[in-house]
Amino acid sequence: MGRRLRVLDVGMGQGTQALRLARAGHSVTGLESDAEMLASARAALASEPEGIRERVRLIKGDGRDTGVHFLPGSFDVVLCHGVLMYVEEPDPMLAGLARMLAPGGLLSLLVRNADALAMRPGLAGDFGAALAAFDTAAYTNRLGLTVRADRLDALRATLAGIAAPLHAWYGVRVFTDNVGNDVELPAEELERVLALENRAGRTDPYRGVAALLHLCGVRG
């Protein structure tokens, strides 16, 4: 956008995303409820140059309590990536996040795709689990926790109802969901993989079976 944005990163984890945005010149507030994650984020921030440190504020808190910490309309962008799967009733939290946005602000969500839960076990050859996945929105993540996924149509309706209607959506990890996090690829191969995922994540029907969905709602 060519200007410094006010960004709220909800459930920021170790702060990787927040620090990237701060390095790009934006003013970032990170909200994290886990004490260990918050400590890691503070340690990472401490190693940054002063000019970046002064653009970042880290707060211990929950995404369901944004109204306790911030005034409505305080941010141009609200990020909620990899968080909704841990929230049993996401709609009230999403409504609170939307209230944090200034008019025209962006609400960015990264969620597990409930419409494609059979893909991971099916491609791994666990056909019983794949069959069972059609009838549930729950799944076991890589940490061994039972969490929940979201459906595109349901989130589309929710975003419309909280005055941040869906503007665009993308698939994430279309072909690479079963690839381990520790797999290292040669630079040339990695470039091809990223190009493939970028193309598939924007193209029907591939994006609809992605492991994750990236949804962008814009505050009216």
Side-chain angles (χ1 to χ4, degrees):
M1 295 183 180
R3 62 187 179 94
R4 179 177 293 186
L5 300 173
R6 300 166 300 165
V7 180
L8 173 62
D9 187 358
V10 175
M12 66 170 179
Q14 297 176 337
T16 303
Q17 184 172 252
L19 288 177
R20 277 186 190 154
L21 289 165
R23 292 181 196 122
H26 303 298
S27 175
V28 185
T29 299
L31 191 64
E32 177 56 55
S33 61
D34 185 272
E36 289 187 14
M37 289 287 190
L38 187 60
S40 294
R42 292 192 190 282
L45 179 62
S47 67
E48 296 287 329
E50 181 181 356
I52 293 173
R53 293 199 307 272
E54 66 186 12
R55 289 198 289 270
V56 179
R57 181 169 56 141
L58 303 181
I59 297 175
K60 190 177 192 304
D62 192 287
R64 289 166 288 197
D65 301 321
T66 48
V68 174
H69 300 285
F70 315 111
L71 294 174
S74 295
F75 299 97
D76 304 301
V77 178
V78 173
L79 308 177
C80 183
H81 294 174
V83 174
L84 285 193
M85 55 275 292
Y86 299 102
V87 180
E88 188 172 344
E89 296 291 341
D91 285 8
M93 186 175 105
L94 290 174
L97 298 186
R99 284 193 290 272
M100 297 300 104
L101 287 168
L106 173 70
L107 176 58
S108 176
L109 307 175
L110 186 69
V111 303
R112 187 74 188 185
N113 182 8
D115 294 318
L117 285 181
M119 293 297 291
R120 178 187 286 180
L123 292 175
D126 188 347
F127 302 124
L131 189 60
F134 282 98
D135 301 314
T136 182
Y139 70 101
T140 302
N141 67 12
R142 293 182 179 183
L143 298 176
L145 302 174
T146 299
V147 288
R148 48 170 297 282
D150 289 282
R151 300 189 187 279
L152 175 62
D153 286 346
L155 283 176
R156 189 195 304 271
T158 296
L159 290 172
I162 61 175
L166 186 64
H167 175 73
W169 69 276
Y170 310 93
V172 179
R173 294 210 319 240
V174 177
F175 297 111
T176 58
D177 189 41
N178 281 332
V179 178
N181 293 335
D182 56 348
V183 173
E184 294 186 13
L185 296 174
E188 186 176 329
E189 185 70 3
L190 178 60
E191 187 175 336
R192 281 195 289 263
V193 169
L194 293 175
L196 172 66
E197 286 286 344
N198 182 59
R199 179 76 177 270
R202 299 169 181 269
T203 305
D204 291 322
Y206 304 102
R207 64 177 181 164
V209 297
L212 303 168
L213 298 177
H214 180 200
L215 294 85
C216 301
V218 175
R219 181 75 168 170

